[in-house]
């Protein structure tokens, strides 16, 4: 299978790394893989499944895609790389030195949009209230068990894409037995949200054409989908430059520490980010890219040793 090839020229140097890092759920994610300067993504499109290979060269991007969704994914590629994002109106405040530095270095960054809402929602449900390590393990196990091999070179031993998988379809997620979720470390609170939203996956995709605020309200109308989950989806699927990760255990503390030298709560972070309303996720990503981190204190959070367990926090 030769696949379809496309060369895309953007108005600025492509920054696929940050977008890809958002889409990939841990280094072992079977749906995303990076090999040197090559990025591989296995996904489902309105036209069918696809494996797409993306190689950026400055503002030039070479891509090849395999599967029924190949043409759709190549047409959508500029938007995945941020062509629909508009940073006008964003200006770092002088007192926020790290943000000024980040904007000077990465001003060509654009927020990408995958235009795959449920595909972003499923792992976000799994990631609620647990550590990244545990969530990534659960995602990896469930995709390998209930997904299917990606098309094209993913089926060819020796290929860089060999062994990649498509995420399960919504109808498949809806039928996963609760005990299989539990075996992967996903207790009922999270699996129930995933299964419930899988039944409305088609309706969720329609939010791509809505204003960001309306899409947020629609997603949060589902029990178990709160501000954090909605933001995680809109960052990835809708390309919402304002959807910062409110409610995350680390993000608010990291932003406030970087901008003020103090670890503060989300209420304080909201106040600090208010001048950037409309671009608060852009601020989050720029600060992430500039590489400043707050110091770690105390032991790392340990993973649970049993599967049903009490949950509190982000949703």
């Amino acid at each position: 299978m030769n696949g379809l090839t496309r060369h895309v020229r953007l108005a600025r140097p492509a920054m696929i790394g940050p977008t890809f890092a958002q889409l990939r759920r841990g280094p072992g994610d079977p749906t995303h893989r990076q090999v040197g300067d090559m990025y591989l993504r296995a996904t489902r499109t309105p036209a069918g499944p696809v494996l797409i290979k993306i190689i950026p060269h400055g503002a030039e991007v070479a891509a090849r895609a395999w599967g029924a969704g190949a043409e759709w994914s190549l047409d959508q590629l500029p938007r995945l790389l941020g062509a629909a994002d508009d940073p006008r109106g964003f200006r770092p405040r002088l007192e926020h030195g790290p943000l000024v530095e980040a904007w000077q270095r990465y001003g060509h960054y654009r927020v990408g949009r995958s235009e795959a809402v449920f595909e972003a929602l499923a792992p976000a449900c799994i990631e609620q209230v647990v550590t990244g390590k545990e969530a990534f393990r659960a995602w990896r196990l469930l995709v390998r068990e209930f997904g299917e091999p990606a098309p094209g070179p993913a089926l060819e031993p020796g290929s860089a894409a060999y062994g990649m998988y498509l995420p399960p379809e919504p109808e498949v997620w809806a039928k996963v037995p609760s005990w299989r979720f539990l075996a992967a470390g996903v207790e009922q609170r999270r699996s129930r949200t995933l299964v419930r939203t899988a039944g409305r996956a088609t309706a969720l995709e329609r939010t791509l054409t809505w204003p960001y605020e309306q899409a947020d309200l629609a997603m949060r109308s589902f029990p178990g989908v709160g501000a954090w989950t909605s933001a995680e989806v809109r960052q990835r699927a809708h390309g919402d430059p304002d959807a910062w990760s409110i409610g995350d255990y680390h993000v608010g503390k990291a932003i406030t520490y970087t901008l003020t030298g103090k670890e503060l709560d989300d209420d304080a972070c909201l106040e600090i980010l208010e001048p950037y309303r409309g671009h608060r996720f852009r601020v989050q990503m720029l600060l992430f890219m500039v590489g400043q981190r707050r110091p770690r204190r105390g032991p790392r959070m340990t993973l649970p040793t049993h599967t049903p367990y009490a949950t509190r926090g982000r949703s």
Side-chain angles (χ1 to χ4, degrees):
M1 184 181 293
N2 294 325
L4 299 179
T5 300
R6 186 81 54 88
H7 285 80
V8 176
R9 181 168 182 82
L10 302 174
R12 55 188 160 74
M15 283 194 69
I16 186 175
T19 298
F20 193 83
Q22 288 287 107
L23 295 173
R24 182 173 60 176
R25 274 22 208 235
D29 184 352
T31 69
H32 290 79
R33 185 177 296 171
Q34 182 179 356
V35 182
D37 295 332
M38 177 174 63
Y39 298 85
L40 295 156
R41 168 171 161 80
T43 182
R44 297 184 185 275
T45 78
V50 66
L51 173 71
I52 183 168
K53 176 176 71 175
I54 307 166
I55 305 176
H57 301 283
E60 299 278 352
V61 179
R64 177 172 291 185
W66 297 263
E71 187 169 2
W72 187 96
S73 67
L74 292 171
D75 290 341
Q76 197 271 338
L77 180 59
R79 299 189 296 279
L80 181 71
L81 299 177
D85 181 33
D86 185 357
R88 286 181 296 179
F90 174 69
R91 293 290 182 275
R93 300 177 67 139
L94 292 179
E95 65 265 31
H96 294 156
L99 185 58
V100 172
E101 177 192 350
W103 185 238
Q104 289 172 343
R105 292 173 59 184
Y106 303 113
H108 55 295
Y109 165 69
R110 297 292 183 272
V111 180
R113 50 182 284 148
S114 70
E115 300 180 359
V117 179
F118 183 75
E119 184 179 295
L121 179 57
C125 292
I126 291 172
E127 291 170 7
Q128 291 177 351
V129 304
V130 295
T131 65
K133 184 176 181 180
E134 183 188 11
F136 296 156
R137 173 184 176 274
W139 173 251
R140 184 172 66 250
L141 292 174
L142 290 166
V143 169
R144 289 190 182 280
E145 182 171 0
F146 296 102
E148 60 189 82
L155 301 172
E156 301 171 3
S159 165
Y162 181 65
M164 291 187 68
Y165 276 70
L166 296 161
E169 295 185 89
E171 309 83 65
V172 175
W173 280 121
K175 296 177 182 177
V176 174
S178 59
W179 66 272
R180 293 308 303 153
F181 278 115
L182 287 170
V186 181
E187 89 296 338
Q188 192 175 37
R189 177 190 184 278
R190 291 180 287 150
S191 65
R192 185 190 302 119
T193 301
L194 200 168
V195 170
R196 183 186 293 121
T197 54
R200 298 297 306 279
T202 301
L204 285 166
E205 301 303 324
R206 290 199 288 267
T207 65
L208 290 168
T209 63
W210 298 357
Y212 297 136
E213 296 81 2
Q214 188 177 349
D216 178 34
L217 290 174
M219 278 184 281
R220 287 202 278 160
S221 68
F222 288 94
V225 177
W228 179 86
T229 305
S230 172
E232 294 294 304
V233 174
R234 287 179 290 119
Q235 292 166 9
R236 295 164 171 83
H238 300 74
D240 184 350
D242 197 48
W244 78 285
S245 300
I246 186 169
D248 190 274
Y249 184 80
H250 299 288
V251 171
K253 295 175 184 177
I255 290 174
T256 56
Y257 181 82
T258 303
L259 295 182
T260 72
K262 299 178 182 178
E263 293 183 12
L264 303 173
D265 60 18
D266 275 6
D267 288 339
C269 193
L270 279 169
E271 185 175 345
I272 291 168
L273 290 177
E274 182 58 32
Y276 303 114
R277 180 174 288 274
H279 299 276
R280 291 176 292 183
F281 176 61
R282 192 184 313 281
V283 171
Q284 176 181 325
M285 289 301 293
L286 286 168
L287 294 179
F288 172 80
M289 286 186 280
V290 85
Q292 299 205 19
R293 300 286 187 273
R294 77 187 201 278
R296 300 273 184 175
R297 300 185 180 90
R300 288 182 178 271
M301 185 183 296
T302 56
L303 300 181
T305 55
H306 56 287
T307 334
Y309 60 93
T311 58
R312 295 185 305 160
R314 66 189 187 187
S315 65

